[in-house]
Amino acid sequence: MQNLKLPITISPSRSAQRRLVCKGVFKLADMTRLLAECESRSEHVQVSVKFDVDERGLTVMSGTGSALVALTCQRCNENFDQTLEVEFTFSPAKNEEAAEKIPSYYDVVELDENGEVNLRELVEEELMLMIPLIPRHNIQDCSADADSVWGELPEELEQPNPFDVLKQFK
């Protein structure tokens, strides 16, 4: 399969009129915000985007994206490979007023002053949302002990429960 380079910006309305389907790649090295959160394990992000017009006459962009990255396990602090996969469906809007008229089953993306969408930034943001809040290996793959205890409370903190006084009122 040949890796076709996708355009960075694209006009959703013109593409939807032609029922355009784009399949190709973006360089992962160009997604600096994503790489600030993880490390690259592949050269490209695979992307597929379909432009269409729905029954209400709205322009719709739907597609998928995937990239192989390395995350740091929060249990053992070692890197592990993770495939970030995303599916998205957007409808573009010129301004906030137009965005309010788009049904809730579509995510809204704002058009720039040229009526275009930055497709690379859109895919990058969606991939960033797929990074787990607390990245970690599967428990069987992690080198950290699953039942590890990180210390004990000092005895002066083990005080009697102040609500034990309420038991006297029964």
Side-chain angles (χ1 to χ4, degrees):
M1 180 178 110
Q2 185 180 8
N3 288 333
L4 299 174
K5 191 174 178 184
L6 292 170
I8 294 173
T9 60
I10 194 163
S11 170
S13 58
R14 285 193 302 245
S15 300
Q17 290 171 354
R18 297 186 322 208
R19 306 277 196 260
L20 185 65
V21 176
C22 298
K23 292 184 181 182
V25 296
F26 287 119
K27 284 189 174 185
L28 189 55
D30 293 337
M31 296 186 173
T32 55
R33 292 181 303 145
L34 177 63
L35 291 178
E37 302 298 322
C38 56
E39 293 180 25
S40 172
R41 287 287 196 242
S42 61
E43 187 177 343
H44 296 105
V45 176
Q46 298 291 329
V47 179
S48 173
V49 183
K50 177 183 170 190
F51 297 88
D52 206 352
V53 177
D54 72 359
E55 63 279 350
R56 295 179 66 183
L58 294 172
T59 301
V60 178
M61 304 168 42
S62 58
T64 60
S66 67
L68 181 64
V69 297
L71 301 172
T72 303
C73 178
Q74 297 300 302
R75 278 193 214 111
C76 66
N77 286 330
E78 294 179 17
N79 285 349
F80 68 98
D81 290 347
Q82 174 83 32
T83 301
L84 301 177
E85 296 179 318
V86 66
E87 289 185 28
F88 54 86
T89 304
F90 287 97
S91 185
K94 293 179 183 177
N95 52 39
E96 287 184 35
E97 189 176 303
E100 291 174 4
K101 296 177 184 175
I102 294 177
S104 62
Y105 47 86
Y106 294 133
D107 289 326
V108 178
V109 63
E110 281 197 43
L111 298 170
D112 65 10
E113 62 275 354
N114 299 322
E116 295 183 336
V117 170
N118 189 320
L119 192 56
R120 184 177 66 198
E121 282 184 7
L122 186 73
V123 171
E124 181 180 21
E125 288 171 2
E126 291 297 308
L127 289 172
M128 288 175 65
L129 291 172
M130 297 311 297
I131 296 174
L133 186 60
I134 302 174
R136 54 185 175 223
H137 291 103
N138 290 330
I139 197 78
Q140 63 270 17
D141 297 334
C142 194
S143 63
D145 190 13
D147 295 329
S148 60
V149 178
W150 297 99
E152 295 184 27
L153 291 175
E155 288 189 28
E156 66 264 5
L157 290 180
E158 294 180 15
Q159 299 174 358
N161 186 345
F163 295 106
D164 286 341
V165 176
L166 298 175
K167 290 180 184 178
Q168 298 172 5
F169 296 117
K170 281 188 175 182

